């Protein structure tokens, strides 16, 4: 009885854990890595055809996005998840496959002009459809026997519609161990969905740590805060551009905006237009309403019981086609544009940033976690220029984040999750940035827990409790300096030679040279 850590170890994305019980082999999540990898990932220790089944915590692509690749490799088992997760996965995996095929075709067209071979997509729509056909829905709260020696229960994690922590009872011979995978633990008091549900005990826990070293800024009223930013932007004639995750965050924003419009909180811009420019978000919104009875919180259900759809309102405009998307930027009326992806790495949001980033009257508002080495992270950290579609774009727009609106629990929420259960023998921390995982490990150790931060390839024997750490292998990137940078370095050599040869000049000439150099530095330091 053994677990092997594969993905999201000392990194935030790409969740995957390999579990062996007797003759059975299965995965908990099989997600796609997003942003730039820090460490090399170990390979799943068996072929896809040898994986008996998959347990899926939720539908986000960094947890589910490689399932079509697994299917393409010969996997034929079931993928077990909650009903809402299965519904969302069906649309998200098709969308991901479309992106894989589109990007492969785009790269192939570019390559053909250079005489290069075509690029194959990571997986195809047919692979996605194959994986979707394996999705097997289950309700929250029921203990399900997946196979001999494996029983599981899905518990609401409060992170996304249908998200779950997974309790599993593993039996091998006369030995049974309970292990809990947290999935992504939700923040408290999120709109629409319920708060995380807690678990009473386990022998081992595998838990995320995305915000394991910080507390969310407390905002007394998200709606008022959002309304103030919209008001300020509209008053100066700008657009509010919101890079938003199509599933979860977009629906929460629609819920907020409905309240703002209903209560007339933005003055002098009556019936302002809101555009949702993401076919995936539109489909996801439909899935949200289909699962309202099992997943919505009390407040959202009160709207539903009154016959009100809590995530729609007047002048909500849907852009499905590319032409509809392009037309948004020809409309000069101050507006809200909600578009995917949430980290600005792909999708239609990049076009909207290209049209709005260089306008100082506009606002780009981030409402979710921005992983390292993503365009979204660069903007949040104050980039002055960014490259979009090969063009340098000046960042003049106001860049803000909406404090407190996070789908992930902060350190207090993580503590509440782990403290709710009878103390496990070991807590394995994953799904966090390198330094954050180590900080949260020290925090748990101070609280008396035995905590580990496994690197990819680490193993734990669940019978004996013996943990074997893996040697981390950093990703090595070789980047050649650009021609422009090489010229700049050559100029530095020339300047150094000039300074070295100026020793015999008069004080007056030395002062002039010094002033010239300082003026040049001052110009470019600004």
């Amino acid at each position: 009885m053994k677990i092997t850590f594969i993905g999201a170890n000392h990194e935030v994305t790409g969740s995957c854990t390999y579990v062996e019980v007797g003759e059975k082999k299965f995965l908990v999540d099989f997600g796609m890595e997003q942003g730039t990898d820090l460490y090399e990932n170990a390979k799943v220790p068996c072929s896809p055809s040898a994986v008996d089944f998959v347990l899926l915590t939720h539908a986000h692509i960094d947890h589910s996005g490689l399932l079509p690749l697994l299917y393409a490799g010969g996997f034929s088992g079931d993928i077990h998840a909650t009903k809402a997760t299965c519904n969302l996965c069906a649309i998200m995996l098709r969308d991901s496959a479309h992106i894989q095929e589109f990007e492969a075709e785009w790269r192939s067209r570019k390559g053909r002009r250079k005489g290069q071979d075509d690029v194959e997509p990571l997986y195809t729509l047919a692979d996605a459809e194959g994986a979707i056909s394996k999705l097997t829905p289950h309700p929250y709260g029921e203990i399900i026997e997946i196979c001999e020696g494996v029983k599981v229960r899905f518990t609401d994690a409060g992170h996304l519609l249908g998200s779950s922590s997974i309790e599993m009872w593993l039996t091998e011979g006369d030995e049974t161990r309970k292990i809990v995978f947290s999935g992504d633990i939700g923040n408290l008091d999120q709109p629409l969905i319920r708060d995380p549900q807690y678990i009473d005990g386990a022998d081992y826990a595998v838990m995320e740590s995305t915000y394991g070293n910080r507390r969310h800024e407390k905002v007394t009223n998200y709606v008022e805060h959002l309304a103030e930013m919209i008001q300020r932007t509209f008053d100066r004639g700008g657009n509010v551009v919101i890079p938003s995750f199509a599933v979860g965050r977009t629906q929460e924003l629609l819920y907020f905006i409905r309240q703002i419009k209903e209560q007339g909180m933005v003055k002098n811009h009556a019936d302002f237009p809101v555009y949702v420019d993401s076919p995936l978000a539109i489909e996801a919104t439909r899935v949200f309403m289909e699962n309202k009875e099992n997943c919505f919180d009390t407040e959202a259900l009160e709207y539903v019981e009154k016959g009100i759809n809590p995530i729609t309102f007047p002048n909500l405009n849907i852009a499905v086609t590319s032409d509809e998307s392009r037309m948004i930027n020809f409309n000069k009326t101050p507006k809200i544009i909600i578009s995917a992806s949430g980290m600005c790495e792909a999708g239609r949001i990049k076009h909207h940033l290209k049209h709005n980033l260089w306008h100082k009257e506009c606002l780009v508002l981030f409402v979710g976690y921005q992983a390292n080495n993503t365009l979204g992270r660069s903007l949040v950290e104050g980039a002055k220029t960014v490259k979009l579609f090969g063009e340098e774009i000046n960042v003049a727009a106001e860049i803000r984040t909406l404090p407190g609106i996070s789908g992930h629990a902060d350190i207090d929420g993580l503590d509440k999750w782990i403290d709710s259960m009878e103390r496990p023998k070991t807590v394995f921390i994953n799904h966090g940035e390198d330094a954050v995982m180590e900080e949260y490990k020290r925090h748990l150790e101070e609280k008396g827990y035995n905590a580990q931060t496994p690197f990819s390839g680490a193993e734990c024997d669940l019978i004996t409790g013996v943990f074997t750490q893996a040697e981390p292998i950093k990703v090595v990137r070789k980047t050649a300096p650009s021609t422009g940078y090489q010229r700049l370095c050559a100029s530095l050599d020339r300047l150094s030679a000039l300074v070295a040869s100026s020793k015999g000049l008069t004080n007056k000439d030395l002062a002039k040279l010094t002033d010239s150099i300082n003026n040049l530095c001052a110009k470019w330091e600004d």
Side-chain angles (χ1 to χ4, degrees), residues 25-98:
K25 305 173 179 67
F26 64 94
L27 299 178
V28 180
D29 291 342
F30 197 29
M32 186 178 291
E33 291 180 305
Q34 297 170 308
T36 306
D37 302 333
L38 184 60
Y39 294 102
E40 297 281 0
N41 277 0
K43 302 295 184 186
V44 174
C46 70
S47 67
S49 60
V51 175
D52 292 291
F53 56 90
V54 176
L55 302 177
L56 183 60
T57 61
H58 65 287
H60 277 149
I61 289 297
D62 64 322
H63 289 256
S64 69
L66 293 185
L67 291 173
L69 187 65
L70 190 71
Y71 177 84
F75 170 74
S76 59
D78 291 329
I79 302 168
H80 300 275
T82 65
K83 176 178 177 289
T85 292
C86 291
N87 293 158
L88 288 175
C89 253
I91 60 174
M92 294 181 77
L93 293 181
R94 290 187 185 103
D95 183 72
S96 180
H98 171 74

Coordinates of all heavy atoms in Angstrom, one line a residue, residues 25-98:
K25 N -4.0 0.0 -9.1 CA -3.3 1.2 -9.3 C -4.2 2.3 -9.7 O -5.0 2.1 -10.7 CB -2.2 1.0 -10.4 CG -1.3 -0.2 -10.1 CD -0.3 -0.4 -11.3 CE 0.6 -1.5 -11.1 NZ -0.1 -2.8 -11.0
F26 N -4.2 3.5 -9.1 CA -5.0 4.6 -9.5 C -4.4 5.9 -9.2 O -3.4 6.0 -8.5 CB -6.4 4.5 -8.8 CG -6.4 4.6 -7.3 CD1 -6.7 5.8 -6.7 CD2 -6.2 3.5 -6.5 CE1 -6.7 6.0 -5.4 CE2 -6.3 3.6 -5.1 CZ -6.5 4.9 -4.6
L27 N -5.0 6.9 -9.8 CA -4.5 8.3 -9.7 C -5.5 9.1 -8.9 O -6.8 8.9 -9.1 CB -4.3 9.0 -11.1 CG -3.3 8.3 -12.0 CD1 -3.2 9.1 -13.3 CD2 -1.9 8.3 -11.4
V28 N -5.1 10.1 -8.1 CA -5.9 11.1 -7.6 C -5.5 12.4 -8.4 O -4.4 12.9 -8.2 CB -5.7 11.3 -6.1 CG1 -6.6 12.5 -5.6 CG2 -5.9 10.0 -5.3
D29 N -6.4 12.8 -9.3 CA -6.2 14.0 -10.2 C -5.1 13.6 -11.2 O -4.2 12.8 -11.0 CB -5.8 15.2 -9.4 CG -7.0 15.8 -8.6 OD1 -8.1 15.4 -8.8 OD2 -6.7 16.6 -7.7
F30 N -5.2 14.3 -12.3 CA -4.2 14.2 -13.4 C -4.2 15.6 -14.1 O -4.9 15.7 -15.1 CB -4.4 13.1 -14.3 CG -3.2 12.7 -15.1 CD1 -1.9 12.9 -14.6 CD2 -3.3 12.1 -16.4 CE1 -0.8 12.6 -15.4 CE2 -2.2 11.8 -17.1 CZ -1.0 12.0 -16.6
G31 N -3.6 16.6 -13.5 CA -3.8 18.0 -14.0 C -2.6 18.5 -14.8 O -1.5 18.0 -14.8
M32 N -2.9 19.5 -15.5 CA -2.0 20.2 -16.4 C -1.2 21.2 -15.7 O -1.8 22.0 -14.9 CB -2.7 20.8 -17.6 CG -1.8 21.4 -18.7 SD -2.8 22.0 -20.1 CE -3.5 20.5 -20.8
E33 N 0.1 21.3 -15.9 CA 0.9 22.4 -15.3 C 0.7 23.7 -16.1 O 0.6 23.7 -17.3 CB 2.4 22.0 -15.4 CG 2.7 20.8 -14.4 CD 4.1 20.5 -14.5 OE1 4.7 20.2 -15.5 OE2 4.8 20.4 -13.4
Q34 N 0.5 24.8 -15.4 CA 0.3 26.1 -15.9 C 1.4 27.0 -15.5 O 1.8 27.0 -14.3 CB -1.1 26.6 -15.6 CG -2.2 25.7 -16.1 CD -3.6 26.0 -15.6 OE1 -3.8 26.1 -14.4 NE2 -4.5 26.2 -16.5
G35 N 1.8 27.9 -16.4 CA 3.0 28.7 -16.0 C 4.3 27.9 -16.2 O 4.3 26.8 -16.8
T36 N 5.4 28.5 -15.8 CA 6.7 27.8 -16.0 C 7.0 26.9 -14.9 O 6.8 27.2 -13.7 CB 7.8 28.9 -16.1 OG1 7.4 29.8 -17.1 CG2 9.1 28.3 -16.4
D37 N 7.4 25.7 -15.2 CA 7.7 24.7 -14.2 C 9.1 25.0 -13.5 O 10.0 25.5 -14.1 CB 7.9 23.3 -14.8 CG 6.6 22.9 -15.5 OD1 5.5 23.4 -15.1 OD2 6.7 22.1 -16.5
L38 N 9.1 24.7 -12.2 CA 10.3 24.9 -11.4 C 11.1 23.6 -11.3 O 12.4 23.6 -11.4 CB 10.0 25.4 -10.0 CG 11.2 25.8 -9.1 CD1 12.1 26.8 -9.7 CD2 10.7 26.2 -7.7
Y39 N 10.4 22.5 -11.1 CA 11.0 21.2 -11.0 C 10.5 20.2 -12.0 O 9.4 20.3 -12.5 CB 10.8 20.6 -9.6 CG 11.4 21.4 -8.5 CD1 10.6 22.3 -7.7 CD2 12.7 21.3 -8.2 CE1 11.2 23.1 -6.7 CE2 13.3 22.1 -7.1 CZ 12.5 22.9 -6.4 OH 13.1 23.7 -5.4
E40 N 11.4 19.3 -12.4 CA 11.0 18.2 -13.2 C 10.0 17.2 -12.5 O 10.2 17.0 -11.3 CB 12.2 17.4 -13.7 CG 13.2 18.1 -14.5 CD 12.8 18.3 -16.0 OE1 11.7 17.8 -16.3 OE2 13.6 18.9 -16.7
N41 N 9.0 16.8 -13.2 CA 8.1 15.8 -12.6 C 8.5 14.4 -12.9 O 8.9 14.1 -14.0 CB 6.7 16.1 -13.1 CG 5.9 17.2 -12.4 OD1 6.5 17.8 -11.4 ND2 4.7 17.4 -12.8
A42 N 8.3 13.5 -11.9 CA 8.5 12.1 -12.1 C 7.4 11.6 -13.0 O 6.3 12.2 -13.1 CB 8.5 11.3 -10.8
K43 N 7.7 10.5 -13.7 CA 6.6 9.9 -14.6 C 5.7 9.0 -13.7 O 6.1 8.5 -12.7 CB 7.3 9.0 -15.7 CG 8.2 9.8 -16.6 CD 7.5 10.8 -17.4 CE 8.5 11.5 -18.4 NZ 7.8 12.6 -19.1
V44 N 4.5 8.9 -14.1 CA 3.6 7.9 -13.4 C 4.2 6.6 -13.6 O 4.6 6.2 -14.7 CB 2.2 8.0 -14.1 CG1 1.3 6.9 -13.5 CG2 1.5 9.3 -13.8
P45 N 4.4 5.8 -12.5 CA 5.2 4.6 -12.6 C 4.6 3.4 -13.4 O 5.1 2.3 -13.3 CB 5.3 4.2 -11.1 CG 5.0 5.4 -10.3 CD 4.0 6.1 -11.2
C46 N 3.5 3.6 -14.1 CA 2.9 2.5 -14.9 C 2.4 3.1 -16.2 O 2.2 4.4 -16.3 CB 1.8 1.7 -14.2 SG 0.3 2.7 -13.9
S47 N 2.0 2.3 -17.1 CA 1.5 2.8 -18.4 C 0.0 3.2 -18.1 O -0.6 2.8 -17.2 CB 1.5 1.7 -19.4 OG 0.6 0.6 -19.0
P48 N -0.5 4.1 -19.0 CA -1.9 4.5 -18.9 C -2.9 3.4 -18.9 O -3.9 3.4 -18.1 CB -2.1 5.5 -20.1 CG -0.8 6.0 -20.4 CD 0.2 4.9 -20.1
S49 N -2.6 2.3 -19.6 CA -3.5 1.2 -19.7 C -3.5 0.4 -18.4 O -4.5 -0.4 -18.2 CB -3.1 0.3 -20.9 OG -1.8 -0.2 -20.7
A50 N -2.5 0.6 -17.6 CA -2.4 -0.2 -16.3 C -3.1 0.6 -15.2 O -3.2 0.0 -14.1 CB -1.0 -0.5 -16.0
V51 N -3.5 1.8 -15.4 CA -4.2 2.6 -14.4 C -5.6 2.1 -14.3 O -6.3 2.1 -15.3 CB -4.2 4.1 -14.7 CG1 -5.0 4.9 -13.6 CG2 -2.7 4.6 -14.7
D52 N -6.1 1.6 -13.1 CA -7.4 1.0 -13.0 C -8.5 2.1 -13.0 O -9.6 1.8 -13.6 CB -7.5 0.2 -11.8 CG -6.6 -1.1 -11.9 OD1 -6.9 -1.9 -12.7 OD2 -5.6 -1.1 -11.2
F53 N -8.3 3.2 -12.3 CA -9.3 4.3 -12.3 C -8.7 5.6 -11.8 O -7.5 5.6 -11.4 CB -10.5 3.9 -11.4 CG -10.1 3.5 -10.0 CD1 -10.1 4.5 -9.0 CD2 -9.8 2.2 -9.6 CE1 -9.7 4.1 -7.7 CE2 -9.5 1.8 -8.3 CZ -9.4 2.8 -7.4
V54 N -9.4 6.6 -11.9 CA -9.0 7.9 -11.4 C -10.0 8.5 -10.4 O -11.2 8.4 -10.7 CB -8.8 8.9 -12.6 CG1 -8.4 10.3 -12.1 CG2 -7.8 8.4 -13.6
L55 N -9.6 9.1 -9.4 CA -10.4 9.9 -8.5 C -10.1 11.4 -8.7 O -8.9 11.8 -8.6 CB -10.2 9.5 -7.0 CG -10.4 8.0 -6.6 CD1 -10.0 7.8 -5.2 CD2 -11.8 7.6 -6.9
L56 N -11.1 12.2 -9.0 CA -10.9 13.5 -9.4 C -11.6 14.5 -8.3 O -12.7 14.4 -8.0 CB -11.6 13.8 -10.7 CG -11.5 15.2 -11.4 CD1 -10.0 15.5 -11.6 CD2 -12.2 15.2 -12.7
T57 N -10.7 15.4 -7.8 CA -11.2 16.3 -6.7 C -12.1 17.4 -7.3 O -13.1 17.7 -6.7 CB -10.1 16.9 -5.9 OG1 -9.2 17.7 -6.8 CG2 -9.2 15.9 -5.2
H58 N -11.7 18.0 -8.4 CA -12.6 19.0 -9.1 C -12.2 19.2 -10.5 O -11.2 18.6 -11.0 CB -12.6 20.3 -8.2 CG -11.3 21.0 -8.2 ND1 -10.3 20.6 -7.4 CD2 -10.9 22.2 -8.7 CE1 -9.3 21.4 -7.5 NE2 -9.6 22.4 -8.3
A59 N -12.9 20.1 -11.2 CA -12.8 20.2 -12.6 C -11.7 21.1 -13.1 O -11.4 21.1 -14.3 CB -14.1 20.6 -13.2
H60 N -11.1 22.0 -12.3 CA -10.1 22.9 -12.8 C -9.0 22.2 -13.6 O -8.6 21.1 -13.2 CB -9.5 23.7 -11.7 CG -10.3 24.9 -11.2 ND1 -10.3 25.3 -9.9 CD2 -11.1 25.7 -11.9 CE1 -11.1 26.4 -9.9 NE2 -11.6 26.6 -11.1
I61 N -8.5 22.8 -14.7 CA -7.6 22.1 -15.6 C -6.3 21.7 -14.9 O -5.7 20.7 -15.3 CB -7.4 23.0 -16.8 CG1 -8.6 23.1 -17.7 CG2 -6.2 22.6 -17.6 CD1 -9.0 21.8 -18.3
D62 N -5.9 22.4 -13.9 CA -4.6 22.0 -13.2 C -4.9 20.8 -12.4 O -3.9 20.3 -11.8 CB -4.0 23.2 -12.4 CG -4.9 23.6 -11.3 OD1 -6.1 23.6 -11.4 OD2 -4.4 24.0 -10.2
H63 N -6.1 20.3 -12.3 CA -6.4 19.0 -11.7 C -6.9 17.9 -12.6 O -6.7 16.7 -12.4 CB -7.4 19.2 -10.6 CG -6.8 19.9 -9.4 ND1 -6.5 19.3 -8.2 CD2 -6.6 21.3 -9.2 CE1 -6.0 20.3 -7.3 NE2 -6.1 21.4 -8.0
S64 N -7.5 18.4 -13.7 CA -8.1 17.4 -14.7 C -7.5 17.4 -16.1 O -7.9 16.6 -16.9 CB -9.6 17.7 -14.8 OG -9.8 19.0 -15.4
G65 N -6.7 18.4 -16.4 CA -6.4 18.7 -17.8 C -5.6 17.7 -18.6 O -5.5 17.8 -19.8
L66 N -5.0 16.7 -17.9 CA -4.3 15.6 -18.7 C -5.0 14.3 -18.8 O -4.5 13.3 -19.3 CB -2.9 15.4 -18.0 CG -1.9 16.5 -18.1 CD1 -0.6 16.1 -17.5 CD2 -1.7 17.0 -19.5
L67 N -6.3 14.3 -18.4 CA -7.1 13.1 -18.5 C -7.3 12.7 -19.9 O -7.2 11.5 -20.2 CB -8.5 13.3 -17.8 CG -8.4 13.4 -16.3 CD1 -9.8 13.8 -15.8 CD2 -7.9 12.1 -15.6
P68 N -7.4 13.6 -20.9 CA -7.5 13.1 -22.3 C -6.2 12.5 -22.8 O -6.2 11.5 -23.6 CB -7.8 14.4 -23.1 CG -8.5 15.3 -22.1 CD -7.8 15.0 -20.8
L69 N -5.0 13.0 -22.3 CA -3.8 12.3 -22.6 C -3.7 10.9 -22.0 O -3.2 10.0 -22.7 CB -2.6 13.2 -22.0 CG -1.2 12.8 -22.5 CD1 -1.0 13.0 -24.0 CD2 -0.2 13.7 -21.7
L70 N -4.2 10.8 -20.8 CA -4.3 9.4 -20.2 C -5.1 8.5 -21.1 O -4.7 7.3 -21.3 CB -4.9 9.5 -18.8 CG -4.8 8.3 -17.9 CD1 -3.3 8.1 -17.5 CD2 -5.7 8.4 -16.7
Y71 N -6.3 9.0 -21.5 CA -7.1 8.2 -22.4 C -6.4 7.8 -23.7 O -6.5 6.7 -24.2 CB -8.4 8.9 -22.7 CG -9.4 8.2 -23.6 CD1 -10.2 7.2 -23.1 CD2 -9.3 8.5 -25.0 CE1 -11.1 6.5 -24.0 CE2 -10.2 7.8 -25.9 CZ -11.0 6.8 -25.4 OH -11.8 6.1 -26.2
A72 N -5.8 8.8 -24.3 CA -5.0 8.6 -25.5 C -4.0 7.5 -25.4 O -3.6 6.8 -26.4 CB -4.4 9.9 -26.0
G73 N -3.4 7.4 -24.2 CA -2.4 6.4 -23.9 C -2.9 5.0 -23.6 O -2.1 4.1 -23.4
G74 N -4.2 4.8 -23.6 CA -4.8 3.5 -23.4 C -5.6 3.3 -22.1 O -6.1 2.2 -21.9
F75 N -5.8 4.3 -21.3 CA -6.6 4.2 -20.1 C -8.0 3.9 -20.5 O -8.6 4.5 -21.4 CB -6.5 5.5 -19.3 CG -7.5 5.6 -18.2 CD1 -7.3 4.9 -17.0 CD2 -8.6 6.4 -18.3 CE1 -8.1 5.0 -16.0 CE2 -9.5 6.5 -17.2 CZ -9.3 5.8 -16.1
S76 N -8.6 2.9 -19.8 CA -10.0 2.5 -20.1 C -10.8 2.4 -18.8 O -12.0 1.9 -18.9 CB -10.0 1.2 -20.8 OG -9.4 0.1 -20.0
G77 N -10.3 2.9 -17.7 CA -11.1 2.8 -16.4 C -12.1 3.9 -16.3 O -12.3 4.7 -17.2
D78 N -12.7 4.0 -15.1 CA -13.6 5.1 -14.8 C -12.9 6.2 -14.1 O -11.9 6.1 -13.4 CB -14.8 4.5 -13.9 CG -15.7 3.6 -14.6 OD1 -15.8 3.7 -15.9 OD2 -16.2 2.6 -14.0
I79 N -13.5 7.4 -14.3 CA -13.0 8.6 -13.6 C -14.1 9.0 -12.7 O -15.2 9.5 -13.1 CB -12.7 9.8 -14.6 CG1 -11.7 9.3 -15.6 CG2 -12.3 11.0 -13.9 CD1 -11.5 10.2 -16.8
H80 N -13.9 8.9 -11.4 CA -14.9 9.1 -10.4 C -14.8 10.5 -9.8 O -13.8 11.0 -9.4 CB -14.7 8.1 -9.2 CG -14.8 6.7 -9.6 ND1 -16.0 6.0 -9.8 CD2 -13.9 5.8 -10.0 CE1 -15.8 4.7 -10.2 NE2 -14.5 4.6 -10.3
A81 N -16.0 11.2 -9.7 CA -16.1 12.6 -9.2 C -17.5 12.9 -8.9 O -18.4 12.0 -9.1 CB -15.6 13.5 -10.3
T82 N -17.7 14.1 -8.3 CA -19.1 14.5 -8.0 C -19.8 14.8 -9.4 O -19.2 15.0 -10.4 CB -19.1 15.7 -7.2 OG1 -18.6 16.8 -7.9 CG2 -18.4 15.5 -5.9
K83 N -21.1 14.8 -9.3 CA -21.9 15.1 -10.5 C -21.6 16.4 -11.1 O -21.4 16.5 -12.3 CB -23.4 15.0 -10.1 CG -24.4 15.4 -11.3 CD -25.8 15.3 -10.8 CE -26.8 15.7 -12.0 NZ -26.7 17.2 -12.2
A84 N -21.5 17.5 -10.3 CA -21.2 18.8 -10.8 C -19.8 18.8 -11.5 O -19.6 19.5 -12.5 CB -21.3 19.9 -9.8
T85 N -18.8 18.1 -10.8 CA -17.5 18.1 -11.4 C -17.5 17.4 -12.8 O -16.9 17.8 -13.7 CB -16.5 17.3 -10.5 OG1 -16.3 18.1 -9.3 CG2 -15.2 17.1 -11.1
C86 N -18.3 16.3 -12.9 CA -18.4 15.6 -14.2 C -19.0 16.6 -15.2 O -18.6 16.6 -16.4 CB -19.3 14.4 -14.0 SG -18.5 13.0 -13.1
N87 N -20.1 17.3 -14.8 CA -20.7 18.3 -15.8 C -19.7 19.3 -16.2 O -19.6 19.7 -17.4 CB -21.9 19.0 -15.1 CG -23.0 18.0 -14.8 OD1 -23.8 18.3 -13.9 ND2 -23.1 16.9 -15.5
L88 N -18.9 19.9 -15.3 CA -18.0 20.9 -15.7 C -16.8 20.4 -16.5 O -16.3 21.0 -17.4 CB -17.4 21.6 -14.4 CG -18.4 22.5 -13.6 CD1 -17.8 23.0 -12.4 CD2 -18.8 23.7 -14.5
C89 N -16.4 19.2 -16.1 CA -15.2 18.6 -16.8 C -15.6 18.4 -18.3 O -14.7 18.5 -19.2 CB -14.9 17.2 -16.2 SG -13.3 17.3 -15.3
A90 N -16.8 18.0 -18.6 CA -17.2 17.7 -19.9 C -17.0 19.0 -20.8 O -16.5 18.9 -21.9 CB -18.7 17.3 -20.0
I91 N -17.3 20.2 -20.3 CA -17.1 21.4 -21.1 C -15.6 21.8 -21.1 O -15.1 22.3 -22.0 CB -18.0 22.5 -20.7 CG1 -17.9 22.9 -19.3 CG2 -19.5 22.1 -21.0 CD1 -18.7 24.1 -18.9
M92 N -15.0 21.7 -19.9 CA -13.6 22.2 -19.8 C -12.6 21.4 -20.6 O -11.6 21.9 -21.1 CB -13.2 22.2 -18.3 CG -14.0 23.2 -17.5 SD -13.6 23.3 -15.8 CE -12.1 24.3 -15.9
L93 N -12.8 20.0 -20.6 CA -11.8 19.2 -21.4 C -12.0 19.4 -22.9 O -11.0 19.4 -23.6 CB -12.0 17.7 -21.0 CG -11.6 17.4 -19.5 CD1 -11.8 15.9 -19.3 CD2 -10.2 17.8 -19.2
R94 N -13.3 19.6 -23.3 CA -13.4 19.9 -24.7 C -12.8 21.3 -25.1 O -12.1 21.4 -26.1 CB -14.9 20.0 -25.1 CG -15.7 18.7 -25.0 CD -17.1 18.8 -25.5 NE -17.8 17.5 -25.4 CZ -18.7 17.3 -24.5 NH1 -19.0 18.2 -23.6 NH2 -19.3 16.1 -24.4
D95 N -12.9 22.2 -24.2 CA -12.3 23.5 -24.4 C -10.8 23.4 -24.4 O -10.1 24.0 -25.3 CB -12.7 24.5 -23.3 CG -12.2 25.9 -23.5 OD1 -12.6 26.6 -24.4 OD2 -11.2 26.3 -22.8
S96 N -10.2 22.6 -23.5 CA -8.8 22.4 -23.5 C -8.3 21.8 -24.7 O -7.2 22.1 -25.3 CB -8.4 21.6 -22.3 OG -7.0 21.4 -22.2
A97 N -9.0 20.8 -25.2 CA -8.6 20.1 -26.5 C -8.7 21.0 -27.7 O -7.8 21.0 -28.5 CB -9.6 18.9 -26.7
H98 N -9.7 21.9 -27.7 CA -9.7 22.9 -28.8 C -8.5 23.8 -28.7 O -7.9 24.1 -29.8 CB -11.0 23.7 -28.6 CG -11.0 24.9 -29.5 ND1 -11.3 24.8 -30.9 CD2 -10.8 26.3 -29.3 CE1 -11.3 26.0 -31.5 NE2 -11.0 26.9 -30.5

